[in-house]
Amino acid sequence: MTNRKATFIFMFLFVIPYVSAQVMIGIAYNALVLHSDSWWRSLIGAVVGATLLFFAKIPLERPLRILGKYTTSKFIHLSVRFFMLEEARALKQILNYLIDVVLAFASTYVLRWFFPGAAGKVLLMGTPFGWVVAILFISICIGAYLDFDMLSIVPKGTKISNHD
């Protein structure tokens, strides 16, 4: 696999979905919490969002591990190794989780800054979440389409039938 193709797959399977997930955390928090400008409440929202994101990352490890195995891009290798959590040491898991908390906290404040006041809250309760979910879904579909054979669990050339 070329580094260019690996970079596109990495972007569509990990970078765009990760950013989308952080934006979804910010949108959900600001749309659901009445007094969202409190530091304490924002911290609790960031911890809850980061916890959900932490558990969502684990199923994505296999395609990322395969991608890291077939590329020579140093950045992709380092990123993939950093986000491998299933067999990681506790310190690495904690650091990864803290980065997610900080980014989720920043997401809540950036979205509150872009959509201030009651009018912003009404707008956040509307369609932005759906658009972010659509971006997430389309990104994952494009990433999987770019190299489905390599990321597939079934080895290439294996015949699969629906008959017993």
Side-chain angles (χ1 to χ4, degrees), residues 29-114:
Y29 173 76
N30 284 304
L32 294 174
V33 177
L34 184 59
H35 301 289
S36 59
D37 58 349
S38 162
W39 283 86
W40 171 250
R41 290 178 184 185
S42 292
L43 181 62
I44 297 299
V47 167
V48 169
T51 302
L52 293 173
L53 188 59
F54 181 82
F55 291 118
K57 284 181 187 177
I58 293 173
L60 297 175
E61 285 189 19
R62 178 161 167 66
L64 284 175
R65 186 169 298 187
I66 293 169
L67 181 63
K69 184 177 174 181
Y70 290 108
T71 184
T72 58
S73 171
K74 193 80 163 162
F75 175 73
I76 292 175
H77 275 294
L78 292 174
S79 298
V80 166
R81 280 192 10 219
F82 180 73
F83 286 101
M84 292 294 114
L85 300 174
E86 191 174 13
E87 299 167 0
R89 293 185 201 154
L91 181 63
K92 182 178 174 183
Q93 288 180 348
I94 291 169
L95 179 62
N96 198 293
Y97 179 75
L98 289 176
I99 288 172
D100 286 343
V101 169
V102 168
L103 291 174
F105 189 82
S107 175
T108 64
Y109 269 92
V110 167
L111 282 165
R112 193 173 315 121
W113 182 73
F114 275 118

Side-chain angles (χ1 to χ4, degrees), residues 8 29-30 131-132 161:
F8 278 117
Y29 173 76
N30 284 304
W131 283 107
V132 174
S161 76

Side-chain angles (χ1 to χ4, degrees), residues 152-164:
S152 176
I153 295 172
V154 179
K156 193 172 187 175
T158 302
K159 301 264 185 189
I160 299 175
S161 76
N162 291 330
H163 306 285
D164 290 336

